[in-house]
Amino acid sequence: MKRLPMRKIREVFRLKFEHNLSERKIAQSCNISRSTVKDYLARLSVSDLATA
């Protein structure tokens, strides 16, 4: 799996939590696959950052 730049990962989280966009819309906006968006959101949910 190719890693995304931190800027793009932050953009995924911003679009999800500030704008409440769907994974599909986030993927289109960031020009990445929906599975990548899903993977990063899943990683966030199991990390300690999700509770912060």
Side-chain angles (χ1 to χ4, degrees):
M1 177 173 83
K2 184 179 176 188
R3 294 181 60 179
L4 293 176
M6 190 63 180
R7 185 173 293 164
K8 195 163 272 197
I9 295 169
R10 283 190 194 126
E11 181 67 3
V12 167
F13 296 155
R14 185 184 75 78
L15 292 172
K16 180 64 178 174
F17 298 112
E18 289 183 15
H19 297 284
N20 201 29
L21 292 181
S22 67
E23 292 172 2
R24 185 176 183 210
K25 292 283 186 180
I26 295 169
Q28 289 174 341
S29 175
C30 294
N31 198 25
I32 57 177
S33 70
R34 192 176 62 82
S35 61
T36 302
V37 172
K38 188 176 185 101
D39 183 48
Y40 277 103
L41 293 174
R43 288 173 186 239
L44 177 68
S45 69
V46 298
S47 73
D48 290 335
L49 295 175
T51 59

